[in-house]
Amino acid sequence: MATDVPTGADDEEDLRHFLATERATTRPGGANGRRSKAGRSADRSAGKGQPRWPTPPILVRQIRNGVVESVHRGDVVEVDASGRLVRSIGDVDRLVTLRSTVKPFGAVALIEAGGAEEFDLGPAEIATLASSHSGEDVHVRTLQAVHRRAGISQSALGCGTEGMPLDALTAARLARDGERPSAIRHMCSGQHSVFLLLSKMRGWPLDEYWEVEHPAHVAYRETVARAYAVPVDRLRTAVDGCGVLTYAFPLREVARAYAFLAYPEAVAAGDARASLAPHLRRIRDAMLAHPEMVGGTRDRLDTALMKAASGRVVAKGGMEALRGIGILPGARTTGTAAEATGIALKIEDGDGYERATWAASVEAVRQAGILDGQPMRLLARYHRPPTLDPHGRVAAEAVPEFELAPVGERL
């Protein structure tokens, strides 16, 4: 049961009382080993109306010489474009914030408005608008070219610079040369460029585009609502790390959106999403053609996964260990053909090391029948991410251990 921590920094007596109360009420049985009837009733009442948070299954174990040092729990779901469950483990309705997995869908707002023609955007540039790029020079040059053609200063970007660039070698070079990274090296500068380009097209002000009532932000939000087939006024929103809105959906809806991304033609003509299909296809094709622009040239799973799967998979990760994966229709490793599906995966602890997200994502795609043989060998370091000692020896590994159960085979 949540309790508010005393906020007065100088109120030590209240803080000591709070800590004593927490120790008494959070131990099994409370201070005297038993919970009173009133206490149990209060606990039950406090839980009413609160979101259910079941304990997810273990997906990945961190193992050092046979010893399990830690585990990562999470949920995985695979659905088709209609939302029909195909495989899953854990809670398919776990509520998640989209974070950067929203970017391919939000970029549709610009493409649908005619932005690709207005600014002469090529596939590599479109892929960067849907990316969480590493801030390497290739990403910077690509976005700078777009900004020059549009007549927009890169100083208009409001995504910040904290923790950027993601690419370690680029960051080390900038530090060596005494150069501070600019906002264009931020992993979300492509997404923020969508807002700026929309504003330039429509004659809207370029400043404060991150405000929720800015017309570019409204257009972006409406496009996300259409892609997820919900009324815009029913979107559940929050502020993302880069300052724009993010949106919350059950995990199965993220998977359905990625099935749509994988094969936009799958939606029926009468589906509310159908008008987005040609624009989303253009974004998907750009991502597949230029996976290095979606992530980076080094240590980015989305890029490596799309390359290894040879045009069969489109992938986009988000912060706090969320990943959306779209699987295009075609033959699976089982030898049978299958329709397009989407996979959504969430690691409960946020996975600060990325090892669990990497391992579970590759394993989920393998179990979906997309990866084997050479592709799996290419992804080996992501499938079982190693921890190296100072001499380059493997000291530990993150090992995926779960089974996606076909929904029709459940007891």
Side-chain angles (χ1 to χ4, degrees):
M1 181 169 59
T3 308
D4 291 334
V5 179
T7 56
D10 57 350
D11 197 344
E12 296 182 3
E13 185 61 34
D14 279 356
L15 182 58
R16 282 197 296 270
H17 175 73
F18 167 79
L19 293 173
T21 302
E22 283 291 286
R23 284 193 292 269
T25 58
T26 58
R27 287 197 303 263
N32 60 4
R34 291 182 298 174
R35 293 287 283 143
S36 69
K37 182 177 180 180
R40 292 193 300 271
S41 177
D43 288 346
R44 286 194 297 270
S45 297
K48 289 182 179 179
Q50 297 299 312
R52 179 171 161 268
W53 189 280
T55 301
I58 294 171
L59 300 183
V60 178
R61 302 175 192 273
Q62 178 73 357
I63 300 176
R64 189 179 299 266
N65 194 26
V67 177
V68 177
E69 291 191 310
S70 59
V71 298
H72 298 277
R73 297 178 179 272
D75 307 284
V76 188
V77 59
E78 181 183 7
V79 307
D80 65 16
S82 71
R84 179 183 63 86
L85 290 173
V86 179
R87 297 176 183 84
S88 70
I89 182 171
D91 185 359
V92 302
D93 291 315
R94 172 63 57 86
L95 191 66
V96 297
T97 51
L98 297 182
R99 306 300 295 272
S100 289
T101 65
V102 76
K103 291 176 179 177
F105 306 97
V108 171
L110 178 65
I111 304 304
E112 185 179 35
E117 292 73 26
E118 176 79 12
F119 302 113
D120 192 24
L121 300 177
E125 294 166 331
I126 292 174
T128 311
L129 298 179
S131 76
S132 294
H133 63 77
S134 294
E136 299 170 61
D137 290 350
V138 64
H139 306 118
V140 170
R141 288 194 299 267
T142 299
L143 284 173
Q144 284 175 334
V146 173
H147 279 241
R148 280 196 300 271
R149 290 201 301 273
I152 300 172
S153 170
Q154 66 186 56
S155 64
L157 288 166
C159 49
T161 62
E162 185 178 359
M164 302 297 152
L166 291 180
D167 181 63
L169 291 181
T170 302
R173 191 195 78 221
L174 295 179
R176 180 200 66 197
D177 296 344
E179 180 182 345
R180 297 184 63 182
S182 61
I184 205 162
R185 289 197 186 270
H186 193 285
M187 64 178 178
C188 296
S189 60
Q191 179 190 27
H192 282 242
S193 294
V194 171
F195 295 101
L196 289 170
L197 293 169
L198 268 172
S199 298
K200 186 73 172 183
M201 281 187 69
R202 301 302 194 197
W204 299 329
L206 299 184
D207 58 320
E208 297 186 347
Y209 64 82
W210 53 86
E211 295 290 353
V212 296
E213 296 308 321
H214 188 285
H217 218 125
V218 172
Y220 195 100
R221 183 161 68 247
E222 289 175 347
T223 303
V224 173
R226 290 166 60 202
Y228 273 80
V230 298
V232 68
D233 59 358
R234 295 190 61 187
L235 285 173
R236 183 167 180 175
T237 64
V239 178
D240 208 337
C242 63
V244 298
L245 287 181
T246 186
Y247 310 90
F249 285 97
L251 201 62
R252 72 161 84 204
E253 293 301 317
V254 182
R256 184 175 76 134
Y258 270 80
F260 179 37
L261 174 62
Y263 193 53
E265 298 86 345
V267 300
D271 192 302
R273 300 172 291 166
S275 62
L276 300 178
H279 314 298
L280 195 61
R281 185 187 314 116
R282 191 170 185 175
I283 292 167
R284 178 205 66 188
D285 290 347
M287 294 172 72
L288 291 174
H290 297 277
E292 74 286 350
M293 305 307 293
V294 178
T297 63
R298 292 179 286 267
D299 293 329
R300 300 303 302 277
L301 176 58
D302 291 332
T303 297
L305 188 55
M306 286 190 278
K307 284 185 173 181
S310 302
R312 290 293 312 283
V313 167
V314 58
K316 185 70 197 69
M319 294 297 287
E320 297 300 326
L322 177 70
R323 175 161 278 104
I325 300 168
I327 300 175
L328 279 67
R332 307 274 174 123
T333 56
T334 57
T336 59
E339 61 189 339
T341 59
I343 294 175
L345 178 148
K346 178 72 170 74
I347 301 298
E348 183 188 30
D349 59 24
D351 192 23
Y353 292 100
E354 288 194 307
R355 62 195 183 201
T357 319
W358 286 0
S361 295
V362 175
E363 178 63 15
V365 177
R366 185 194 71 80
Q367 290 190 32
I370 301 301
L371 301 172
D372 65 358
Q374 180 63 10
M376 283 301 295
R377 287 190 285 274
L378 291 172
L379 293 168
R381 64 177 298 272
Y382 297 101
H383 190 217
R384 293 174 67 120
T387 300
L388 305 180
D389 76 356
H391 311 289
R393 297 175 298 187
V394 175
E397 284 184 311
V399 180
E401 293 184 357
F402 64 91
E403 182 177 355
L404 287 175
V407 174
E409 297 179 9
R410 288 181 170 177
L411 296 177

